[in-house]
Amino acid sequence: MKKFFGEHSYNMVKMLLNQFATAIFGFVLFLATKKAENIALMNVTSIAAILFYLFLLYTMTWEIGYHDRVAVAQGRKKKNVFTGALISLCANVPNFIYAIFITLAVFINAGEGSFIANIGGICSFLALFLEGMFTGLLSNHIGAVSLGSHWFVYFLIPLPAILVCGIAYYLGLRDVKFTSLFDPIVPESDRDPAEKRRK
């Protein structure tokens, strides 16, 4: 595990920064559409921000998988198809921490002003800075309360990212791409020997 963190700590931080930047973008869109009082537009912009975030993760993790493919082919690295999902899982630890404290605040009826209630409120606020792209969708009401009022939603939010990263890494590992727009640039020394022979 220590080796895994050593190899991928940069990628984890990069994923977290991508999430932070997209969350701010998504939250700004939410504020603009909320001011316009257009629920349909609010949902569309929220979905667009989420898809943009997942797209960033997909392209990033696909390249990680592709570079690992070369290392695996040269015997420098063991093949692990779950690497992408594991990197994303580690990058999403702050989201799960928020979810845990929000859940504790809901289920431990310690009263307003208590430590748990305060921590839950702080985590709900901080979640906006990491999960802002979901804010538009979470503002939709189911019955009398908004979707964002349900504790279990915060455990579901990281799942699309983990799933997309898992799929992207696997496809990169197998050199399967849907477009040539994002062909990775690989140094000559790191290229697959079979690819070198073809050239």
Side-chain angles (χ1 to χ4, degrees):
M1 186 58 72
K2 185 178 179 181
K3 183 181 178 183
F4 180 83
F5 275 99
E7 289 179 352
H8 298 292
S9 57
Y10 170 78
N11 295 321
M12 294 172 194
V13 172
K14 189 176 178 182
M15 283 184 179
L16 198 57
L17 290 175
N18 281 339
Q19 183 179 355
F20 176 74
T22 316
I24 298 300
F25 172 67
F27 187 64
V28 169
L29 289 177
F30 163 73
L31 292 177
T33 53
K34 185 179 180 182
K35 190 174 182 180
E37 298 182 351
N38 190 325
I39 295 175
L41 184 60
M42 181 178 69
N43 288 326
V44 169
T45 53
S46 182
I47 291 171
I50 293 167
L51 292 177
F52 178 65
Y53 165 59
L54 295 177
F55 173 76
L56 290 178
L57 290 181
Y58 178 88
T59 54
M60 174 188 169
T61 317
W62 191 96
E63 288 191 9
I64 296 170
Y66 183 83
H67 285 88
D68 281 0
R69 169 182 176 270
V70 176
V72 168
Q74 294 176 351
R76 293 185 284 110
K77 194 169 190 176
K78 285 186 178 180
K79 183 178 181 180
N80 183 357
V81 296
F82 299 108
T83 297
L86 288 173
I87 295 172
S88 181
L89 181 64
C90 293
N92 275 283
V93 164
N95 295 305
F96 286 115
I97 291 174
Y98 291 156
I100 289 168
F101 279 110
I102 290 168
T103 302
L104 288 175
V106 171
F107 283 97
I108 299 178
N109 190 12
E112 189 176 345
S114 67
F115 175 76
I116 289 295
N118 287 337
I119 290 294
I122 291 169
C123 287
S124 296
F125 174 74
L126 291 177
L128 293 174
F129 294 98
L130 274 184
E131 301 167 356
M133 67 287 276
F134 291 90
T135 307
L137 292 181
L138 295 181
S139 298
N140 288 292
H141 282 67
I142 297 178
V145 295
S146 65
L147 190 58
S149 300
H150 298 281
W151 61 269
F152 61 87
V153 169
Y154 294 93
F155 286 99
L156 299 178
I157 283 175
L159 297 185
I162 295 170
L163 180 63
V164 166
C165 288
I167 293 171
Y169 181 84
Y170 178 76
L171 293 177
L173 204 59
R174 295 178 63 87
D175 193 15
V176 176
K177 51 183 174 286
F178 300 112
T179 176
S180 60
L181 186 60
F182 299 100
D183 282 345
I185 299 172
V186 183
E188 188 70 28
S189 59
D190 288 344
R191 287 183 183 169
D192 191 334
E195 185 181 339
K196 287 181 182 179
R197 286 195 296 271
R198 285 197 298 271
K199 291 187 176 183

